[in-house]
């Protein structure tokens, strides 16, 4: 339709018109009898509306026609795609910003009692660790064993998958220090790719990828905001890490297993992203 | 009577414009499913809460409650299509030269004011324009920037540790979520105004976004 020639390329208003300032082209056909111009419009309309209508119908009804399982299965694959892509950008050197003690949220928000509804008997509590090479049975640790590991502490932003966040002071020992002290592995690369954690009653269980749990700010926590961890917050020992949402930061850890298969995860079973990495 | 056929909107522009409609709708819908889990924002003027986002009736009417997981599934899929469409659109604008129709110039800001006066029937004189008037140039360019803002604030919330550069730049995690939310409100507001303007502009204008062409009377074609 550009055979109209250049005489129509300028818009009115000279430099008073942004179109002329920016040299916007105008594409007009030669003069046609009105009926011929309408014919062009009608044929273009028919094509455009049919194509557009068909695309809209296929889109809307196609989406509705697809069974829910197919959609959810597909969207779960997208979670995996996102995980593969974003975990490639994961660096243990990316550290969460630390806050000053004035920023600590008080009182600390309590959220989620899964797996810790019952009272905990601190006298009989033990941490059972499975999947360590060269061991026939679980490694069983007491709180004294864990307290003897190097202390670590940070004040960071805790993020809930619901969308809220609070600032918390976490004190404990690095998960990586537990690995260094009680396993033969010298490097995260040598380790199985997954770690499973569960409450003593098995009521709540989470799966972690090894790089995230070996992050220097992933702690096994026994003190929170300067005080001994309370039952609501996961006494005697919980996980805390800025690499994941709160759903992964298991309270009252009873078991840890190093695994080659991707562990089951309570909230992933409910349709949430298994990785949930931040 | 003679007429001319004006090629107004090129096919890629039309496709990307219409594809954006369901994509933005899905982003907003899934975003609401997510927002419901922590609905903390309100419109406040002079310290008074004017409107709380959102009243309970809004959620129950739309069937939003307890669908956080589904919201995240949808949001983290459609984000790719939304971003890809936006990037393709901007790339096309640049490489085809179509940006010349769309971006504002220094003079646009004054003329946009005159466009408003004209559209409100206060002034009778229509300011000169190309395909779009200067108010449209400013608003359509802002909408593109809002799209970019949604992506950047989205990344800042999605990966606040691994992409902490963006999160800090935006004032931290809490601010990034607030900004992401308000960009959504701005998109919704733009959508409403856009639809009203399209209705006022009439059928021929709407048709041209589907066919790409508009028939103009020969004597008007030198506007």
């Amino acid at each position: 339709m550009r055979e109209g020639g250049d005489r129509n390329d300028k818009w009115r208003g000279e430099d008073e018109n942004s179109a002329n300032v920016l040299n916007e082209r105008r594409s007009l056909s030669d003069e046609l009898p009105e009926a011929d111009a309408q014919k062009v419009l009608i044929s273009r309309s028919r094509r455009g509306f049919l194509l557009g209508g068909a695309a809209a119908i296929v889109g809307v009804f196609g989406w509705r026609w697809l069974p829910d399982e197919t959609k959810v299965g597909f969207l779960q694959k997208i979670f995996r795609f996102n995980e593969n892509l974003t975990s490639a950008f994961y660096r243990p050197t990316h550290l969460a910003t630390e806050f000053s003690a004035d920023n600590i949220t008080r009182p600390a928000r309590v959220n989620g009692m899964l797996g810790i509804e019952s009272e905990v008997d601190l006298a009989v509590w033990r941490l059972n660790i499975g999947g360590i090479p060269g061991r026939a049975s679980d490694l069983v640790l007491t709180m004294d064993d864990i307290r003897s590991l190097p202390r670590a502490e940070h004040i960071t932003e805790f993020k809930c998958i619901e969308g809220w966040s609070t600032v918390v002071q976490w004190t404990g020992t690095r998960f990586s220090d537990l690995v260094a002290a009680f396993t033969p592995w010298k490097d995260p690369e040598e380790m199985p790719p997954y770690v499973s954690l569960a409450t003593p009653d098995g009521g709540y269980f989470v799966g972690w990828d090894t790089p995230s749990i070996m992050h220097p700010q992933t702690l096994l926590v026994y003190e929170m905001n300067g005080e001994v961890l309370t039952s609501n917050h996961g006494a005697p020992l919980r996980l805390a890490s800025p690499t994941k949402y709160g759903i992964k930061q298991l309270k009252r850890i009873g078991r840890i297993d190093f695994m080659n298969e991707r562990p089951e995860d309570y909230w992933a079973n409910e349709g949430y992203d298994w990785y949930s990495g931040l | 009577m003679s007429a001319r056929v004006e090629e107004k909107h090129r096919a890629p522009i039309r496709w990307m414009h219409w594809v954006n409609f369901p994509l933005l709708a899905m982003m907003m819908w899934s975003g609401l499913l997510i927002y419901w889990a922590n609905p903390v924002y309100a419109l406040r003027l002079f310290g008074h809460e004017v409107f709380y986002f959102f009243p309970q009736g809004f959620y129950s009417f739309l069937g939003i409650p307890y669908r956080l997981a589904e919201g995240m599934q949808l949001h983290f899929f459609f984000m790719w299509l939304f971003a890809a469409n936006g990037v393709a659109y901007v790339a096309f604008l640049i490489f085809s030269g179509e940006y010349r129709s769309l971006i504002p110039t220094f003079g646009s800001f004054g003329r946009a004011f005159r466009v408003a006066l004209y559209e409100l029937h206060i002034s009778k004189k229509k300011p000169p324009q190309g395909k779009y008037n200067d108010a449209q140039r400013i608003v359509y360019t802002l909408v593109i920037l809002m799209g970019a803002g949604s992506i950047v604030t989205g990344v800042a919330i999605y990966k606040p540790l691994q992409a902490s550069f963006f999160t800090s730049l935006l004032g931290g995690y809490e601010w990034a979520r607030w900004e992401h939310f308000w960009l959504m409100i701005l998109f919704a507001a733009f959508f409403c105004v856009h639809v009203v303007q399209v209705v006022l502009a009439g059928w021929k204008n709407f048709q041209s976004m589907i066919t790409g062409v508009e028939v103009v009377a020969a004597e008007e074609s030198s506007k």
Side-chain angles (χ1 to χ4, degrees):
Chain A
M1 287 290 170
R2 287 239 4 106
E3 59 276 15
D6 290 336
R7 67 174 185 276
N8 293 311
D9 276 349
K10 281 285 176 191
W11 305 81
R12 82 178 167 88
E14 300 298 326
D15 280 358
E16 268 295 284
N17 189 336
S18 298
N20 292 330
V21 175
L22 291 168
N23 209 13
E24 175 184 339
R25 308 273 286 178
R26 192 171 192 196
S27 187
L28 284 162
S29 70
D30 279 331
E31 286 189 26
L32 303 167
E34 169 90 29
D36 289 356
Q38 289 298 340
K39 237 179 258 169
V40 173
L41 182 63
I42 286 165
S43 91
R44 293 274 292 251
S45 287
R46 194 177 295 132
R47 197 178 68 191
F49 278 90
L50 280 176
L51 204 59
I57 287 167
V58 168
V60 172
F61 288 95
W63 182 260
R64 292 189 165 210
W65 170 79
L66 277 178
D68 278 348
E69 308 86 75
T70 313
K71 274 189 261 191
V72 170
F74 170 74
L75 293 170
Q76 290 292 339
K77 285 207 181 78
I78 299 297
F79 272 159
R80 283 300 282 268
F81 169 80
N82 293 343
E83 172 183 338
N84 292 336
L85 188 87
T86 57
S87 62
F89 292 97
Y90 171 88
R91 296 288 177 278
T93 50
H94 290 171
L95 298 179
T97 311
E98 299 204 23
F99 291 74
S100 73
D102 307 338
N103 297 112
I104 294 173
T105 310
R106 291 179 196 277
R109 188 163 171 170
V110 179
N111 199 67
M113 299 295 286
L114 287 165
I116 59 168
E117 295 94 341
S118 60
E119 276 298 305
V120 60
D121 186 348
L122 296 177
V124 301
W125 178 91
R126 295 286 183 277
L127 178 60
N128 299 276
I129 307 178
I132 301 172
R135 291 192 64 98
S137 59
D138 286 350
L139 170 70
V140 181
L141 299 179
T142 63
M143 270 316 292
D144 286 340
D145 295 327
I146 290 156
R147 280 182 211 278
S148 70
L149 296 170
R151 249 170 101 90
E153 184 171 281
H154 56 71
I155 302 173
T156 48
E157 203 166 36
F158 170 93
K159 297 173 184 74
C160 179
I161 199 161
E162 293 172 349
W164 50 269
S165 66
T166 60
V167 176
V168 186
Q169 178 180 30
W170 302 111
T171 308
T173 188
R174 287 191 177 116
F175 190 89
S176 58
D177 283 334
L178 177 95
V179 170
F182 297 108
T183 77
W185 297 306
K186 298 276 167 264
D187 189 83
E189 304 280 312
E190 299 171 13
M191 295 170 63
Y194 300 109
V195 181
S196 164
L197 299 98
T199 54
D201 66 0
Y204 194 48
F205 43 92
V206 296
W208 278 68
D209 58 288
T210 295
S212 298
I213 209 163
M214 294 294 283
H215 186 278
Q217 288 175 317
T218 301
L219 305 185
L220 291 163
V221 162
Y222 43 75
E223 288 171 26
M224 180 182 173
N225 294 346
E227 282 161 30
V228 174
L229 201 59
T230 60
S231 183
N232 278 347
H233 290 292
L237 190 69
R238 67 167 294 169
L239 200 66
S241 174
T243 64
K244 303 276 184 193
Y245 284 121
I247 50 168
K248 292 283 194 185
Q249 300 175 33
L250 191 98
K251 295 172 180 176
R252 197 192 290 175
I253 307 169
R255 277 206 70 83
I256 296 175
D257 286 280
F258 297 96
M259 297 171 77
N260 286 309
E261 298 81 44
R262 206 170 167 87
E264 233 194 313
D265 183 278
Y266 185 92
W267 288 107
N269 289 351
E270 301 292 321
Y272 289 85
D273 179 16
W274 184 91
Y275 186 64
S276 287
L278 296 174
Chain B
M1 274 277 281
S2 61
R4 294 175 190 273
V5 178
E6 179 171 13
E7 295 278 349
K8 282 187 81 180
H9 309 291
R10 295 174 62 176
I13 296 279
R14 281 179 277 137
W15 273 107
M16 289 185 280
H17 167 268
W18 287 114
V19 162
N20 195 56
F21 171 64
L23 292 182
L24 183 59
M26 283 310 280
M27 289 310 284
M28 292 176 78
W29 167 247
S30 55
L32 285 172
L33 296 181
I34 296 169
Y35 174 74
W36 169 86
N38 185 36
V40 287
Y41 304 128
L43 177 65
R44 286 188 190 83
L45 289 177
F46 310 109
H48 292 279
E49 187 174 295
V50 179
F51 186 79
Y52 169 69
F53 298 105
F54 289 93
Q56 200 49 53
F58 173 83
Y59 294 120
S60 43
F61 177 74
L62 292 172
I64 285 174
Y66 303 104
R67 292 170 73 177
L68 172 61
E70 181 189 351
M72 295 179 90
Q73 290 170 4
L74 293 172
H75 212 65
F76 299 148
F77 166 57
F78 282 100
M79 67 178 186
W80 292 113
L81 305 184
F82 178 69
N85 192 50
V87 168
Y89 180 70
V90 170
F92 183 78
L93 284 181
I94 293 169
F95 292 113
S96 69
E98 285 289 312
Y99 71 89
R100 295 168 194 279
S101 313
L102 201 83
I103 62 170
T105 62
F106 287 114
S108 293
F109 298 92
R111 279 194 293 277
F113 184 64
R114 285 165 54 199
V115 170
L117 293 181
Y118 172 76
E119 289 193 353
L120 293 167
H121 303 284
I122 294 167
S123 155
K124 291 230 176 343
K125 200 164 162 245
K126 190 179 180 183
Q129 67 168 85
K131 197 187 315 183
Y132 301 121
N133 65 44
D134 284 288
Q136 285 174 299
R137 282 176 183 272
I138 290 168
V139 172
Y140 294 165
T141 302
L142 274 177
V143 168
I144 296 171
L145 294 175
M146 278 158 52
S150 290
I151 293 172
V152 173
T153 53
V155 168
I157 308 168
Y158 186 47
K159 298 290 162 189
L161 178 59
Q162 297 304 324
S164 62
F165 171 79
F166 294 107
T167 316
S168 325
L169 195 75
L170 295 164
Y173 183 72
E174 295 267 326
W175 277 110
R177 187 174 186 263
W178 184 88
E179 289 150 7
H180 198 67
F181 176 83
W182 277 99
L183 282 166
M184 181 275 288
I185 296 292
L186 288 178
F187 270 118
F190 167 77
F191 175 79
C192 296
V193 173
H194 189 54
V195 168
V196 169
Q197 294 277 42
V198 166
V199 169
L200 292 177
W203 176 255
K204 274 175 71 177
N205 172 68
F206 174 75
Q207 198 179 21
S208 76
M209 201 60 207
I210 290 165
T211 64
V213 296
E214 192 168 326
V215 173
V216 287
E219 58 271 22
E220 274 178 34
S221 62
S222 56
K223 63 182 171 183

